[in-house]
Amino acid sequence: MTRHPTDHPQFYLTAPAPCPYLDGKQERKVFTHLIGQHAPSLNDVLTHGGFRRSQNIAYRPACEDCRACISVRVRVDDFEWTKSLKRQWKLGKDVVGARLPPAPSAEQYDLFRSYLTERHEDGGMTEMSVLDYAMMVEDTHVETMVLEYRKSGPDSFITGVGEGPLLGVALTDQLADGLSMVYSFYDPEVTGVGLGTYMILDHIQRARRMGLPYVYLGYWVEGSPKMAYKARFQPQEHLGPDGWTLSPGQ
């Protein structure tokens, strides 16, 4: 059985592959394993350094001629509620997010497949089987949660759990200084509520209640339509050569 050191992680470099965000570009990633008792603290350190988690792997771009992928995090205490975001939050007033352990379900997978088919049919995750999805959720050595979003019921204000069909799911890591949204998806046929926006706003509110200063949104790529939505959540910090600094214009 292969064993990986946990006190002194080893880093590896992937071979070049087509970039999923910018046409004509090649991407490479540096990665390491997140396993064992030190995985939570290592995940904290690496997230601060611009890494993202996927199952028990932490990775970040290591492209030779491109630095377009920028790690972003929202400053919770200073978050600016624009008129548009206030409207989105109000539209979701009947949606409840329940915090659950990182365990997959058939209902989650069905929603995951519907989301990919409608929004990312040409993406790299479209071939994921139910077993692949289960591994994405439960193969973790860090503090991870699943947030399931449903319509509120008569007892939701007591139980914190909604009722009815599953509307959205967020796989989220809890760090020492924030919440890191690993992956989220939602019912593409639901109208009247911007579920993707609502789930980010819900994470910002949760982080505030938990006394956590940041919500990590992963990478923002200027010029990529897939990433444009992240710029709505201000103020945010970008990770650059001088560390985390306020994004331009703030």
Side-chain angles (χ1 to χ4, degrees):
M1 181 175 64
T2 302
R3 299 189 64 180
H4 303 283
T6 57
D7 291 334
H8 304 286
Q10 295 181 327
F11 292 85
Y12 308 88
L13 187 65
T14 66
C19 176
Y21 305 117
L22 298 175
D23 293 338
K25 293 285 189 178
Q26 294 280 303
E27 72 165 0
R28 300 189 77 177
K29 295 176 181 176
V30 61
F31 69 94
T32 189
H33 296 275
L34 286 172
I35 60 174
Q37 62 178 344
H38 299 294
S41 58
L42 180 59
N43 190 39
D44 270 20
V45 171
L46 292 179
T47 301
H48 296 162
F51 280 72
R52 295 288 289 164
R53 186 181 71 82
S54 177
Q55 296 177 216
N56 62 6
I57 296 292
Y59 68 91
R60 68 167 297 172
C63 306
E64 295 178 358
D65 61 349
C66 181
R67 297 294 183 270
C69 290
I70 300 173
S71 295
V72 301
R73 64 186 187 186
V74 180
R75 293 174 58 157
V76 170
D77 291 339
D78 303 324
F79 180 65
E80 298 173 357
W81 285 90
T82 64
K83 290 182 179 180
S84 175
L85 293 176
K86 287 180 180 178
R87 182 166 59 251
Q88 291 285 341
W89 182 249
K90 186 175 181 180
L91 289 172
K93 66 181 186 303
D94 293 328
V95 177
V96 175
R99 177 172 176 165
L100 304 172
S105 70
E107 188 179 20
Q108 290 174 17
Y109 182 69
D110 288 344
L111 183 60
F112 175 70
R113 296 301 315 173
S114 297
Y115 173 79
L116 291 180
T117 299
E118 180 68 24
R119 297 297 177 92
H120 300 285
E121 62 179 355
D122 58 345
M125 303 179 76
T126 55
E127 301 301 321
M128 287 179 63
S129 67
V130 64
L131 179 59
D132 294 329
Y133 174 79
M135 292 295 289
M136 181 178 78
V137 174
E138 65 186 6
D139 188 8
T140 175
H141 290 244
V142 304
E143 188 170 355
T144 307
M145 69 187 85
V146 167
L147 291 165
E148 287 193 348
Y149 293 86
R150 304 176 191 269
K151 287 286 188 180
S152 62
D155 298 325
S156 293
F157 72 100
I158 299 175
T159 64
V161 178
E163 297 181 355
L166 188 60
L167 302 178
V169 174
L171 180 63
T172 302
D173 290 346
Q174 182 171 334
L175 309 174
D177 69 347
L179 298 178
S180 176
M181 298 184 70
V182 176
Y183 192 76
S184 60
F185 54 93
Y186 52 87
D187 187 341
E189 297 185 358
V190 171
T191 59
V193 180
L195 287 171
T197 298
Y198 178 82
M199 288 193 289
I200 294 176
L201 294 174
D202 180 64
H203 276 72
I204 292 171
Q205 294 289 67
R206 286 175 182 272
R208 179 178 287 111
R209 292 195 298 269
M210 297 167 72
L212 300 173
Y214 301 111
V215 171
Y216 290 81
L217 297 183
Y219 301 119
W220 172 75
V221 181
E222 187 173 7
S224 171
K226 296 179 181 179
M227 298 291 189
Y229 72 92
K230 296 184 181 182
R232 299 182 64 192
F233 305 93
Q234 300 287 343
Q236 60 183 227
E237 297 180 358
H238 292 181
L239 181 60
D242 298 322
W244 290 96
T245 58
L246 279 174
S247 60
Q250 292 298 305

